Amino acid sequence: MQDPKNSVKNRVMFYFAILFVLFTILALKLVWIQIINSAEYQHKALNQRVSKFIVNSERGIIYDNTGRKLAVSLPAKTVVALPDNIIKAEKTATELAALLDQDYKTIYRRITSEAAAIFLQRKIDEKLYQKIKAKNLEGITFTEESKRYYPEGELASHIVGFTGIDNNGLNGIELSYNNHLNGRAGKMIVERDAEGRTIPNGIREAVPGRDGYNVHLTIDSVIQYMAEKELENAESKFEFSGGSVIVMDSSTGDVLALANTPSYNPNKFGKYSEKNWRNRAVNDVFEPASTFKIITAASALEEGVITENDILTDPGHIYVENQKINCWSSLGHGSQTFAEVVKHSCNPGFVEVGLKMDKKTFYSYIKAFGFGEQTGIRLPAEAKGIIPDYKDIGPVELATFSFGHGISVTPIQLASAVSAVANGGKLMRPRLVKEVDTGVGSKNIKNEPQVLRRVISQTTADKTKELLKQVVKNGTGTKAAIKGYQIGGKTGTAKHYNDDLYNSSFIGIVPAENRDLVVLTILYDIEGETYYGSQTAAPVFKNLTENILNYLNVKPEPGNDFNYQETEKELKVPDLINSNILTAESNLRELGFNVKIIGDGKSVADQLPSPETSTNYNSTIWLFTEQELKAETLIPVPDFRGLKLEQAKKIAARKGLELILDGQGKVIGQSIYPGSRVKSSRKINLKLR
């Protein structure tokens, strides 16, 4: 039997041991709190008595180039529920569901939650605010936030873009310049007692915020309005899915207007399809068609493979590796100068010119003019365009490039490239933002005009512009002509591959005092009988340009005719075979010819046209340093049918073709079909009667 004394002693020792362990644990806990982890608990204690308040910053304003506000920030009320203060939840939910146009169950669930405060609907308009306020609902209050507002509504919506509910940019300049516009929120820290009262000598700290920077655009709101209005007018005349207009100052690259249809109101962007938000002038690509002939012409003139007086022939088609490429005129244009080829927009003529440039040269010009890469306009999702890889380009692809098929470009790329012709040969980076105003005491961020590179010479640019004036004067672009102004331009019509739809376009160079403007109009997916660029896009261009010139106060000059005159002067080609190549070139230029040297030799082995041939003043004479180079040169065969013998001989001599004649009178047949490309050594039989 256990001794009672030992039993008591054991129980005392057991309880003592428990107390010792508890004391040890408590002591260790105190050491942990007071010494080891003291900083964390000090921080928690501070947080219990310190309140932080966010001081929202003001988002920057977006201005056009005249100081008109395109985007501003206005105060707006946000509906806030305080669940602990709501007494009649069912009634409150019913009232709010009707006013906020939300589901009753959703509202009820939110206002009966355990949260201290809940946003029910943010940034409501003044009318709705007054309606809710008038209900005097217990536990429903309001807080003030900043709401983005676009005073001009749809005007320039594809440029300006819009923001989301948190005032962060989601599209346009609002997105691409979001870091500049957004600013930085401030912070206020205040120490309070247990009852929430501010402690007089407690902690107070203010971290200042920064309002967003103001952004100044190059856009002129008046010109922008005109551009959008002309697209709207076109919708009442033609059936098309959308359109784009760009107006650019070629001297600086400044975009004065960039319009698209369909459009949208950024104040209510959520009510529109995402298709309406799309900036087709920057995000989408299209086949430029004949408007690209401006690039082909400028490149060929710069390379010296052609001059405006060189004679080309068009039987209505041309063959390239057994592929027949037709002219828009089934009868063709016959024998014509390159100036007339441009004026008539003759595809076979441009194919011949494009193929005179070798693949490497033509491709390098296409890239130099900025196609196949982003322009750097700084708008979201800019497309690069589609240029086939160099290795995939053969003679047929090169031929179709010459008249704008087989490649895809963006409207902003095309406007920038033609601006390089308009300003004398310099490719400018398109400029949409002129300056970012960083506020008092800071240096503004200026976006100066930027020359990317020189692509052609001033001389070539001037020649190209004169050719384009003839297109408007009495070529395919006459519906774009404005009396008293020397406007040059080019039409374009591209058929969709799988549908009976067309993209029609016109791009023009417009003298406006000490600068040239480039105006591009595009109508996408036109259907119906009227679809040519000359019938649709050119009249849109004319109406818009007339309004712009009037607005800019650019006065017409009565009787202001175009300066370029095609020359009828003919010269005989001298015999230069075996001459020193440099001496031969110098002699030809003194006589008034243009010269293209083929080969790396030091003397002339052969020439084209042949000696004693009569050809136009300033036409191109090809000098070959090796006879094999001439023998391999492919020449399009003219249509000799119906010509008199002397006419046929003259054309053949100019082209460098040798004829075998059978009979007298007029040509009634030829051994090689017109439009075929043959080596210069190939002889052509003509039957005459």
Side-chain angles (χ1 to χ4, degrees), residues 637 640 660 669-674 682-687:
V637 176
F640 293 106
I660 299 175
Q670 59 189 84
S671 60
I672 300 177
Y673 193 69
R682 182 84 174 268
K683 295 179 181 180
I684 301 173
N685 295 290
L686 298 185
K687 186 171 182 61

Side-chain angles (χ1 to χ4, degrees), residues 580-601:
N580 176 273
I581 194 74
L582 297 179
T583 302
E585 179 186 11
S586 178
N587 290 342
L588 285 171
R589 295 194 185 280
E590 285 182 8
L591 290 171
F593 292 105
N594 184 55
V595 181
K596 180 66 178 176
I597 299 171
I598 306 297
D600 300 320

Side-chain angles (χ1 to χ4, degrees), residues 108-121:
Y108 182 81
R109 175 175 51 80
R110 299 185 71 193
I111 68 175
T112 56
S113 66
E114 295 182 359
I118 287 182
F119 284 176
L120 293 180
Q121 190 157 308

Side-chain angles (χ1 to χ4, degrees), residues 565-628:
Q565 296 292 329
E566 295 176 26
T567 178
E568 297 293 333
K569 183 179 178 181
E570 288 191 351
L571 300 172
K572 280 194 174 182
V573 180
D575 186 350
L576 300 165
I577 295 175
N578 296 324
S579 301
N580 176 273
I581 194 74
L582 297 179
T583 302
E585 179 186 11
S586 178
N587 290 342
L588 285 171
R589 295 194 185 280
E590 285 182 8
L591 290 171
F593 292 105
N594 184 55
V595 181
K596 180 66 178 176
I597 299 171
I598 306 297
D600 300 320
K602 295 183 178 181
S603 62
V604 180
D606 214 334
Q607 66 183 76
L608 185 67
S610 301
E612 298 303 311
T613 299
S614 293
T615 190
N616 284 1
Y617 173 84
N618 196 35
S619 60
T620 305
I621 309 301
W622 293 60
L623 300 178
F624 301 91
T625 60
E626 299 173 33
Q627 286 187 333
E628 293 78 7

Side-chain angles (χ1 to χ4, degrees), residues 54 56 65 87 202 250 271 282 353 357 461 519 522 525 584 588 615:
I54 299 297
N56 290 324
N65 68 2
I87 300 172
S250 68
K271 295 184 178 181
V282 173
V353 170
M357 291 185 284
V519 181
I522 308 170
D525 309 326
L588 285 171
T615 190

Side-chain angles (χ1 to χ4, degrees), residues 483-540:
K483 189 175 181 180
Y485 300 94
Q486 290 195 34
I487 291 172
K490 193 74 195 69
T491 57
T493 308
K495 187 179 186 299
H496 288 216
Y497 289 104
N498 298 321
D499 300 297
D500 195 21
L501 298 172
Y502 298 82
N503 291 338
S504 73
S505 55
F506 184 89
I507 190 163
I509 298 174
V510 183
E513 296 180 338
N514 59 347
R515 58 179 175 172
D516 282 350
L517 303 181
V518 169
V519 181
L520 170 63
T521 59
I522 308 170
L523 304 180
Y524 304 107
D525 309 326
I526 287 188
E527 52 184 319
E529 296 181 358
T530 304
Y531 56 82
Y532 284 111
S534 59
Q535 299 170 312
T536 56
V540 174

Side-chain angles (χ1 to χ4, degrees), residues 290-291 293-295 297-298 339 342-343 350 418 421-422 461-478 486-491 506-509 562 564:
S290 292
T291 57
K293 290 173 181 175
I294 299 173
I295 308 305
V342 176
K343 182 170 68 177
F350 272 95
V418 175
V421 175
D462 291 342
K463 286 181 179 179
T464 306
K465 286 199 285 185
E466 293 301 323
L467 294 177
L468 295 176
K469 290 175 185 178
Q470 298 304 304
V471 175
V472 176
K473 182 182 178 182
N474 51 18
T476 58
T478 54
Q486 290 195 34
I487 291 172
K490 193 74 195 69
T491 57
F506 184 89
I507 190 163
I509 298 174
F562 296 89
Y564 175 74

